[in-house]
Amino acid sequence: MDKQVKRIGILTSGGDAPGMNAAIRAVVRTAISHGIECVGIRRGWNGLINSDFIPMTASSVSHIINKGGTMLYTARSLEFMERSGREKALATCRLLGLDGIVSIGGDGTFRGALALSRQAAEEGLTLQTVGIPATIDNDIGCSHYTIGFDTACNTAIECIDKLRDTMQSHERCSVVEVMGRHAGYLALYVGLSVGATAVLIPEHPLDFEQDIVEKIRRARLAGSTHYMIVVAEGAGSAVDISRRIHDEVGLDPRVTVLGHIQRGGIPSARDRETASRMGYRAVMSLLEGRGNRVVVTQDGRITDLDMEEALQMVKPFPLERYQILDSLSFIRG
Ligand code: F6P
């Protein structure tokens, strides 16, 4: 019988995402309701290295479900990637008597959790870890959905709807850069939702003539007098794309880089509800003796997978939505 988990740490790591607070709240409330004590580790894995932590009670997480950002702060930790850094982290785990850690973040966060758990085991310490996927990029291979994606999409859509008003008035071309360092999930979802003329994503190598010039030409023939180009930052720079449109199409585009505004804001219902269910599942995984897991959504269901297997998983990019966008933008008049 596995040793019953009695005290867990919780942390957020990597780029923040709206809904992280809802996940923190769910983990803390579920743990406490099952007799498990909670310690908030601040500033990601650095919090373990630097003994930067706070006790978490049921009231510590009151009134945060509807707040963007993370009450535990977040950071990326280079020191934690070194064995010596994780040694310092383990010393804090021993000091606090932690036998479990819930980490909320992306792939890198989970790789750190797995490395820490393995290093702990080498030293005879049992440290069970569970990851909760949270990134606005939605680019974690093991989970259909990651906390923050829906809120970020809605933020971008609201901004682009505003841009469309002025682009329509001035009969202009707008080039909008959205986040997605290595992935086009956000750009494609937003592009489809705003009726973009074209969407550029890293998963589809750019053919400027076909992907931009031809689409603007067809839209113009269909009667459009303004054009909306959505660019994932991982597919290129909106400024460069705009310059090429100017030089090769003869338009005078206006560039908007949405940047970090997509990372903030009041979490949407989907993000709050998903985060709450994921946080609950993370604690139940530990209670039921399943350590080194990642909580994921699969077709709307919440489940948990072996962390090592989860980190090797790749999810197919929905390129068929690219064809849908192509058709819909074609008939747009
Ligand atoms: O990983 C989420 C993300 O928002 C990416 O889309 C973006 O490129 C990156 O984080 C920005 O990182 P930082 O906040 O460190 O500038």
Side-chain angles (χ1 to χ4, degrees):
M1 177 66 179
D2 293 289
K3 174 173 167 285
Q4 183 68 24
V5 167
K6 283 294 177 202
R7 179 180 290 165
I8 62 173
I10 177 170
L11 62 88
T12 48
S13 171
D16 71 324
M20 277 187 163
N21 276 327
I24 292 167
R25 173 181 176 275
V27 169
V28 172
R29 292 275 172 90
T30 305
I32 289 170
S33 66
H34 288 81
I36 297 175
E37 292 178 19
C38 258
V39 178
I41 309 294
R42 296 195 298 193
R43 299 175 178 85
W45 296 111
N46 286 330
L48 278 180
I49 291 173
N50 304 321
S51 296
D52 182 0
F53 51 84
I54 51 171
M56 299 293 276
T57 64
S59 57
S60 303
V61 292
S62 297
H63 317 304
I64 66 166
I65 193 168
N66 60 334
K67 289 191 170 44
T70 162
M71 68 169 283
L72 292 176
Y73 308 100
T74 182
R76 295 182 174 93
S77 174
L78 293 177
E79 189 178 3
F80 189 75
M81 296 169 80
E82 304 298 327
R83 189 177 182 83
S84 55
R86 292 194 295 272
E87 203 49 55
K88 291 178 187 173
L90 287 176
T92 304
C93 292
R94 289 191 187 90
L95 172 76
L96 292 171
L98 298 184
D99 39 30
I101 290 182
V102 175
S103 59
I104 303 168
D107 287 320
T109 304
F110 306 155
R111 276 192 282 276
L114 198 54
L116 185 70
S117 178
R118 284 173 172 162
Q119 195 165 323
E122 289 166 13
E123 300 176 12
L125 179 67
T126 300
L127 189 68
Q128 300 294 357
T129 68
V130 180
I132 295 177
T135 169
I136 68 166
D137 292 358
N138 198 30
D139 63 344
I140 296 178
C142 58
S143 186
H144 290 178
Y145 186 78
T146 61
I147 295 166
F149 177 68
D150 184 59
T151 305
C153 287
N154 289 325
T155 298
I157 289 163
E158 188 180 338
C159 293
I160 293 174
D161 284 350
K162 289 178 167 62
L163 277 171
R164 181 183 292 286
D165 291 344
T166 178
M167 295 301 146
Q168 192 164 348
S169 304
H170 289 266
E171 300 178 297
R172 280 173 170 161
C173 175
S174 174
V175 182
V176 182
E177 186 178 302
V178 298
M179 279 192 159
R181 190 186 338 226
H182 307 301
Y185 294 96
L186 199 148
L188 187 53
Y189 194 98
V190 168
L192 202 52
S193 305
V194 299
T197 309
V199 176
L200 307 184
I201 54 177
E203 295 82 357
H204 176 85
L206 177 61
D207 175 330
F208 194 83
E209 183 61 31
Q210 183 181 5
D211 297 335
I212 300 278
V213 179
E214 179 57 20
K215 291 187 175 177
I216 289 176
R217 191 183 68 80
R218 282 184 348 199
R220 188 180 274 163
L221 287 175
S224 291
T225 58
H226 62 282
Y227 315 96
M228 182 62 70
I229 315 293
V230 175
V231 185
E233 63 180 326
S237 143
V239 171
D240 296 343
I241 296 293
S242 170
R243 195 170 292 131
R244 280 195 71 176
I245 291 174
H246 177 273
D247 296 345
E248 300 179 34
V249 185
L251 296 173
D252 184 17
R254 291 298 185 272
V255 175
T256 304
V257 178
L258 293 181
H260 285 71
I261 195 169
Q262 299 160 95
R263 287 259 290 275
I266 295 174
S268 68
R270 179 176 186 184
D271 280 326
R272 298 184 204 191
E273 194 265 357
T274 304
S276 298
R277 289 199 291 156
M278 284 186 156
Y280 174 83
R281 179 76 186 215
V283 175
M284 297 315 291
S285 166
L286 290 171
L287 271 172
E288 293 159 6
R290 293 191 310 281
N292 293 352
R293 310 289 286 183
V294 180
V295 176
V296 299
T297 68
Q298 291 184 335
D299 301 322
R301 288 182 311 108
I302 302 279
T303 185
D304 56 86
L305 304 175
D306 173 79
M307 192 174 270
E308 191 167 4
E309 291 172 15
L311 285 169
Q312 290 160 21
M313 292 171 76
V314 176
K315 64 183 171 185
F317 188 80
L319 272 175
E320 76 281 355
R321 294 187 197 172
Y322 208 67
Q323 277 72 47
I324 297 171
L325 179 94
D326 199 32
S327 306
L328 299 188
S329 59
F330 176 69
I331 59 175
R332 193 170 59 80

